[in-house]
Amino acid sequence: MRFTFVKCHGSGNDFPLIDARAIVLGDAEWAQVARALSDRKGDVGGDGILLLTASDDRHVFGMRMFNPDGSEAETCLNGLRCTARLGFEVTGTEAGQVRLKQSAAQARVVAPIAPGVATIETKVGPVSLTPHDVGLTVGEGPFVEAAIPGLPSDRAFTAVAMPNPHLVAFVDAVDDGELVRLGDWCEGAPALIPTRANVSFVELREEGHAPALFVRTYERGVGLTNSCGSAMAASTLAAARTGRIGWGVETRVFNRGGMVRAKAEVGDVVTIAGNATFEWDGEVEVDPVSGALGPLRILGRREDEVAAWEAMLAGL
């Protein structure tokens, strides 16, 4: 089956994005497509695949996201920005509610975060801090900067469902080795959190008189990643919940992939504005049953967008 797609990224979180509104495949077949296209050893590679899906009575369009291991994520906020951009382009709109796997989010086109950088703002929430919603099998009340019984870490975590599950800890300095060990443990689907979880270590940094966050994430179904949009959102909420930043205050949130503008609002709603960069367009044959991948054909490159993003990074 031939797929045309846009290779895109949000804060360095990169994906092949497919307009799937007229494509009929089962979940198992999409999982095979995701494994094939996301494989970093192949010609495409990515942190998963994004699907633009059809509209309905309440949503301008929908999004699905499959991880490199074939699992489907409840949401992906970096991917949502890219999918929303494509959705707005093909529908001729600039704002609307987007259907996700288990929830919905508001998205709209906003002023660029840097010259030439296409920017989308998303708003999600109210999110949940109920342990059951995060996937934890312990706890009656929310874990907000608290030890989680049974977790092999002495750190204090805030547990947030975005609705995908996040465990967020604030640290003086990120230790990748420690983060990977804990992420690997969660990835094993332990009894404490059988649906697994995204784990983030967050540094609070001062920029002049304004606080900023640096987020490093072990992403469920992916591993250690340069960027995870829902982790940046969860970290922003955790920072507000613990008094590190103010409610309703726009904060710059950094990761290895780039930067977004974020704010947590009273009522546990999080808004993020960040890039939705299209790098190149391609097409490729994928067998949805076996996952066999054919040769890649590049249809065009978006060199101006790539240059604008690189210029922004150089200025950070």
Side-chain angles (χ1 to χ4, degrees), residues 203-219:
E203 298 174 13
L204 179 67
R205 297 178 175 179
E206 295 289 337
E207 290 196 320
H209 297 293
L213 304 178
F214 174 79
V215 181
R216 191 80 163 117
T217 302
Y218 186 109
E219 189 171 356

Side-chain angles (χ1 to χ4, degrees), residues 10-308:
S11 296
N13 215 180
D14 67 316
F15 313 91
L17 165 59
I18 299 169
D19 183 349
R21 291 174 298 163
I23 300 176
V24 180
L25 289 177
D27 291 355
E29 293 170 311
W30 278 124
Q32 285 285 49
V33 173
R35 294 185 190 101
L37 293 183
S38 302
D39 186 353
R40 295 289 185 185
K41 297 177 183 177
D43 292 335
V44 182
D47 290 326
I49 65 168
L50 303 173
L51 308 179
L52 174 67
T53 60
S55 62
D56 59 29
D57 291 341
R58 294 185 297 133
H59 306 92
V60 287
F61 44 78
M63 182 191 87
R64 299 182 73 183
M65 185 272 183
F66 285 84
N67 291 309
D69 66 356
S71 62
E72 185 174 2
E74 292 91 342
T75 189
C76 170
L77 296 187
N78 285 331
L80 173 58
R81 298 199 306 275
C82 296
T83 307
R85 176 184 168 182
L86 179 61
F88 292 146
E89 288 181 359
V90 300
T91 60
T93 56
E94 291 191 343
Q97 182 165 263
V98 182
R99 182 182 62 253
L100 306 176
K101 182 183 179 184
Q102 296 178 355
S103 59
Q106 295 291 329
R108 64 185 181 119
V109 179
V110 293
I113 58 173
V117 176
T119 301
I120 301 291
E121 179 189 87
T122 59
K123 179 178 287 190
V124 295
V127 303
S128 177
L129 283 81
T130 302
H132 177 268
D133 292 343
V134 182
L136 292 166
T137 56
V138 299
E140 296 297 325
F143 289 101
V144 178
E145 200 156 32
I148 299 177
L151 195 69
S153 174
D154 294 330
R155 294 193 180 275
F157 286 86
T158 298
V160 186
M162 294 300 303
N164 58 338
H166 288 269
L167 305 178
V168 179
F170 289 90
V171 299
D172 293 331
V174 171
D175 181 329
D176 280 358
E178 180 188 355
L179 178 57
V180 168
R181 287 190 294 274
L182 184 55
D184 282 346
W185 185 85
C186 291
E187 196 72 356
L192 175 66
I193 188 160
T195 55
R196 307 177 295 163
N198 303 282
V199 184
S200 294
F201 285 173
V202 184
E203 298 174 13
L204 179 67
R205 297 178 175 179
E206 295 289 337
E207 290 196 320
H209 297 293
L213 304 178
F214 174 79
V215 181
R216 191 80 163 117
T217 302
Y218 186 109
E219 189 171 356
R220 180 181 62 166
V222 180
L224 194 64
T225 181
N226 284 339
S227 180
C228 174
S230 57
M232 289 189 286
S235 299
T236 301
L237 181 68
R241 275 274 185 162
T242 58
R244 289 178 168 86
I245 62 173
W247 293 101
V249 176
E250 188 171 271
T251 303
R252 301 216 306 171
V253 183
F254 296 87
N255 52 44
R256 293 281 181 87
M259 180 274 295
V260 299
R261 299 191 304 256
K263 62 181 177 181
E265 302 171 20
V266 173
D268 294 332
V269 174
V270 184
T271 300
I272 285 183
N275 76 299
T277 299
F278 290 177
E279 297 181 303
W280 49 271
D281 302 86
E283 66 177 15
V284 68
E285 293 278 346
V286 183
D287 184 337
V289 177
S290 68
L293 189 67
L296 169 67
R297 181 185 173 205
I298 295 179
L299 304 177
R301 296 189 181 275
R302 317 269 188 127
E303 295 177 356
D304 290 348
E305 292 197 37
V306 172

